[in-house]
Amino acid sequence: MPDVLDASPYDALLLLSFGGPEGPDDVVPFLENVTRGRGIPKERLKEVGQHYFLFDGVSPINDQNRALLDVLRKDFADHGLDLPVHWGNRNWAPYLTDTLREMVQGGRRRILVLATSAYASYSGCRQYRENLADALATLEQEGLELPKIDKLRHYFNHPGFVEPMIDGVVRSLADLPEDVRDGAHIAFCTHSIPTSAADTSGPAEEHGDGGAYVRQHLDVARLIADAVRERTGVDHPWQLVYQSRSGAPHIPWLEPDICDHLEERHAAGVPAVVMAPIGFVSDHMEVIYDLDTEATAKAGELGLPVRRSATVGADPRFAAAIRELIVERAVAERGQDVAPCALGALGASHDLCPVGCCPARAPRPAAAGADSPYA
């Protein structure tokens, strides 16, 4: 990286996230936003939202994004990176379109986007790009000058994302009773998606069994497991497992589910399990409900000791990684040579999503990619 942290040609960073309700009255409207166009009745949404009501209708994701914004701004200031940071959500306030409008009206013309999703998939990448295209279309209809938008590459294998998770697993193992610690199994958890979406994740040349989505998660799991072995001297068995399945039961999704996995491991005589949510940037509802509540309750029924390791959240190392990714992309945009930072076997991900990357069932315009209508 250069001695002077120069973000040009970029003049702003947009943190783009999923969004979540912040009170009981927000839950159903939020779920209506998430499921818009699917024709799901309001009564069904009330049923689906029950896990939000267990937490007074508040998803943790917005507060976690506020914490990440704070640590990003501090890191940038401490390291002399002059780049304002804005925040917009896909499904709840602050809404993406509103934030992008404010940025454009404030004179921002070259915007980098940081999505709170580290891996390649339709729901984790292209859908965010589709939402960006929708927002740009709205601004175009309003007669505003459109900015050029780029999206930061996938950061699943950046050291600043991986190393905090290694520490979390080591701490969780140390927190287990000594008599079960060395025999503990590590369940690396991520969001299940339809197998058809997994198989077509990533660039077209990476499509196949599990696609880039599964390969990227497996690479991160191996990195963490190897590092844990080096630090503890114990070779813990591990497996990639899934959670938070939704949708019609006849559609195949990635398996095994974490609760089924806990039952299987217990039946096999495993004395303890550490659940490591490597697929999540922070403690989303999927983490605090599906793992901390549902899976932990299942382990309690089985009499199986479990611990849940920490997500990356607002770890300063993650903020430093984002700063490095910004400078890396800016250097490349200026036509200079740069060596991308990445761990594992897969190398650094692409800067620009190619045509055919993580395709949708029904094609829609997507910004910040090779097929963007907003060059």
Side-chain angles (χ1 to χ4, degrees):
M1 292 297 174
D3 294 332
V4 177
L5 297 185
D6 182 5
S8 64
Y10 298 107
D11 55 20
L13 177 71
L14 170 61
L15 176 66
L16 176 55
S17 194
F18 192 81
E22 300 201 77
D25 293 340
D26 297 344
V27 172
V28 171
F30 163 73
L31 292 173
E32 287 175 333
N33 288 341
V34 174
T35 61
R36 181 167 286 117
R38 301 183 201 172
I40 300 176
K42 182 171 289 189
E43 290 307 311
R44 175 58 182 153
L45 293 179
K46 289 179 181 178
E47 295 175 16
V48 172
Q50 286 306 308
H51 56 284
Y52 286 99
F53 294 120
L54 291 175
F55 301 91
D56 297 322
V58 179
S59 167
I61 191 171
N62 283 347
D63 276 346
Q64 289 161 4
N65 280 326
R66 293 181 183 104
L68 180 56
L69 288 167
D70 287 344
V71 75
L72 284 172
R73 288 166 178 152
K74 182 179 186 305
D75 179 272
F76 292 2
D78 289 347
H79 292 85
L81 180 63
D82 184 15
L83 192 70
V85 185
H86 302 257
W87 171 34
N89 290 325
R90 289 170 48 192
N91 300 299
W92 201 248
Y95 288 102
L96 167 60
T97 301
D98 295 337
T99 298
L100 203 56
R101 182 185 297 109
E102 292 171 4
M103 295 174 74
V104 168
Q105 291 173 338
R108 306 303 175 192
R109 294 294 178 264
R110 288 295 303 271
I111 298 170
L112 259 179
V113 172
L114 164 64
T116 54
S117 176
Y119 301 85
S121 70
Y122 170 73
S123 57
C125 184
R126 186 175 178 88
Q127 193 169 16
Y128 283 89
R129 294 175 49 226
E130 291 176 352
N131 294 142
L132 283 166
D134 291 342
L136 288 170
T138 297
L139 300 190
E140 188 173 38
Q141 291 170 1
E142 295 172 358
L144 294 174
E145 182 179 351
L146 298 187
K148 177 172 170 46
I149 293 180
D150 292 322
K151 179 178 174 291
L152 283 175
R153 66 175 172 90
H154 301 301
Y155 46 83
F156 64 93
N157 56 2
H158 194 287
F161 185 68
V162 175
E163 289 169 1
M165 294 190 291
I166 295 170
D167 289 348
V169 172
V170 171
R171 284 194 299 268
S172 292
L173 287 166
D175 191 49
L176 284 167
E178 188 174 357
D179 60 333
V180 300
R181 186 179 305 150
D182 287 353
H185 170 92
I186 304 173
F188 291 107
C189 306
T190 191
H191 208 300
S192 184
I193 61 175
T195 56
S196 59
D199 293 346
T200 56
S201 58
E205 62 270 19
E206 296 182 27
H207 293 178
D209 187 17
Y213 186 74
V214 172
R215 282 194 287 277
Q216 289 171 1
H217 280 87
L218 285 173
D219 202 43
V220 171
R222 289 189 193 100
L223 283 167
I224 297 172
D226 289 348
V228 169
R229 182 180 63 250
E230 291 174 6
R231 294 191 191 182
T232 66
V234 179
D235 190 7
H236 291 273
W238 61 270
Q239 186 171 341
L240 179 63
V241 302
Y242 303 93
Q243 61 179 89
S244 312
R245 180 199 163 115
S246 61
H250 68 279
I251 297 176
W253 283 53
L254 293 173
E255 296 178 334
D257 177 77
I258 178 60
C259 289
D260 295 338
H261 181 68
L262 292 175
E263 289 185 339
E264 188 272 333
R265 290 292 80 203
H266 178 257
V270 167
V273 173
V274 168
M275 301 181 293
I278 63 172
F280 303 91
V281 172
S282 60
D283 289 3
H284 304 169
M285 182 59 72
E286 289 88 346
V287 176
I288 66 169
Y289 179 76
D290 295 345
L291 294 183
D292 293 353
T293 305
E294 197 170 50
T296 299
K298 171 59 70 176
E301 294 172 11
L302 298 169
L304 178 67
V306 294
R307 297 294 185 272
R308 195 268 289 175
S309 67
T311 53
V312 172
D315 190 292
R317 290 169 291 185
F318 183 44
I322 300 307
R323 167 174 38 87
E324 291 171 7
L325 288 168
I326 291 167
V327 175
E328 170 195 301
R329 183 61 179 272
V331 168
E333 286 294 306
R334 296 196 299 268
Q336 300 168 315
D337 292 334
V338 61
C341 184
L343 300 174
L346 299 181
S349 186
H350 48 262
D351 276 337
L352 190 69
C353 291
V355 176
C357 192
C358 304
R361 289 189 299 273
R364 290 175 53 198
D371 56 353
S372 172
Y374 301 101

